[in-house]
Amino acid sequence: MTEQLTLRAPDDWHIHLRDGGALERTVGDAARQFRRAIVMPNLVPPVVDAEDALFYQLRIREQIPEGNPFEPLMVIYLTDRTDAEMVKLAHKAGVIAAKLYPAGATTNSDSGVTDIANIYPALEAMQECGMKLLLHGEVTTSDIDIFDREQVFIEKTLSRLVDDFPTLKIVLEHITTAHAAEFVQNARDGVGATITAHHLLYNRNHMLVGGIRPHYYCLPILKRGYHQSALIEAATSGNPKFFLGTDSAPHAQGKKETACGCAGCYTAFAAIELYAEAFDRAGKLDKLEGFASEFGPDFYGLPRNEDTITLVKQAWALPESLDMGGERLIPLAAGETLSWKLV
Ligand SMILES: NC(=O)N[C@@H](CC(=O)O)C(=O)O
Ligand SMILES: [Zn+2]
Ligand SMILES: [Zn+2]
């Protein structure tokens, strides 16, 4: 008999769905496996307030396949101009979190915060109403090496935020280092982290040895194998501070395979299968359900999904490319064989 794995239905606590013609692809792929997803607000221009978030949510809802219960959870993008009033209005509109992108840190972060002091009133208001703070945790100063930017952010900014707002719930998104895993593990309650499938499956050798592979380029950038091991350890530890966030971030093929390529890996096509691969390799498939389906909703104070999904152990190959609104999109691990398949 084929080996099977049945899990409480999972959610994705960090995804990029983009907009317009991309939504049919991105929403369809996410909704196939996840019941809820936290939708990143880094559109151009960004989703900065309640009105933007509600309108964006409507555009996403239009692309949810008939009868699918997928629920997009909305986030506003913090800028130097986000104030307490905007936070309160967003909270009233059902926005569950606000995202801090240090200006210039990643894709579409030009409108991000230039000095954390500028958003202290907004953070006060978030702490008061229970809105979560999501962080792209990298400093952007040119003197800091790209491989050290997460660690320096933790030392310079995150440790201060955690102390200055003692009851604010904070998620350090897409962690990539042993430093981040250790910081979150030792931090006060209410500080968590998401981990992507690609940071569990790969390290910088996969991106750079034997030729440069642009589809593995994302931010924060893949680190050494030592950090990959620390992330696998954290994700499969059963510690509820670590939960699933794919950071699936599509860019059309031409924007990746070029002299100055965009950062972002498209994993939504086979996200839960990629995570299953990583947990299976670690011999920790029994820890996947907590990470994928329980610790996220618990952290956010939302109910766990009641229904289940089933994966079967069956080799299958990812397609070489996908259509995204008439453009070609190369999924991460294109053409490679995975050992688990969602039924
Ligand atoms: N992760 C990435 O490399 N890219 C994301 C932005 C982000 O999450 O930092 C994107 O929007 O393309
Ligand atoms: Zn990011
Ligand atoms: Zn992201």
Side-chain angles (χ1 to χ4, degrees), residues 6-201:
T6 295
L7 303 174
R8 182 189 296 278
D11 305 296
D12 186 348
W13 303 95
H14 180 134
I15 196 169
H16 300 268
L17 297 177
R18 311 301 190 209
D19 207 351
L23 287 176
E24 188 183 350
R25 163 98 265 148
T26 58
V27 175
D29 284 346
R32 193 176 67 89
Q33 48 205 311
F34 298 113
R35 296 294 172 266
R36 292 167 290 198
I38 288 204
V39 183
M40 289 297 129
N42 62 333
L43 304 180
V44 191
V47 174
V48 294
D49 58 19
E51 197 185 339
D52 290 349
L54 289 176
F55 188 37
Y56 183 32
Q57 191 176 39
L58 276 181
R59 299 197 296 280
I60 294 166
R61 286 218 166 107
E62 278 168 17
Q63 299 300 330
I64 301 173
E66 190 80 33
N68 185 301
F70 182 72
E71 197 188 336
L73 304 171
M74 307 312 289
V75 177
I76 55 166
Y77 181 119
L78 293 164
T79 75
D80 286 337
R81 288 171 304 284
T82 310
D83 59 22
E85 195 54 30
M86 286 163 80
V87 165
K88 287 180 204 155
L89 286 172
H91 178 66
K92 259 196 210 142
V95 169
I96 70 168
K99 178 75 188 251
L100 169 66
Y101 292 99
T106 186
T107 306
N108 303 337
S109 62
D110 298 347
S111 316
V113 173
T114 58
D115 180 349
I116 192 90
N118 294 337
I119 55 162
Y120 263 49
L123 296 177
E124 272 311 337
M126 287 168 60
Q127 175 166 257
E128 208 155 287
C129 67
M131 203 190 271
K132 280 74 185 164
L133 174 65
L134 313 185
L135 303 171
H136 181 103
E138 288 192 288
V139 294
T140 55
T141 28
S142 58
D143 57 318
I144 305 294
D145 189 275
I146 186 165
F147 289 97
D148 299 332
R149 290 179 170 200
E150 182 175 271
Q151 185 184 356
V152 176
F153 180 88
I154 292 166
E155 288 160 5
K156 292 228 163 103
T157 309
L158 178 57
S159 49
R160 219 175 88 203
L161 283 173
V162 167
D163 292 343
D164 286 354
F165 300 94
T167 61
L168 180 64
K169 283 204 160 181
I170 300 176
V171 185
L172 184 58
E173 299 288 345
H174 49 40
I175 61 169
T176 62
T177 59
H179 312 107
E182 194 189 332
F183 180 89
V184 170
Q185 204 172 337
N186 297 327
R188 64 160 169 82
D189 277 356
V191 177
T194 54
I195 306 180
T196 74
H198 45 288
H199 289 100
L200 294 175
L201 288 168

Side-chain angles (χ1 to χ4, degrees), residues 319-333:
E320 294 290 349
S321 94
L322 303 167
D323 173 78
M324 179 174 67
E327 294 187 288
R328 294 323 293 170
L329 172 65
I330 309 298
L332 192 71

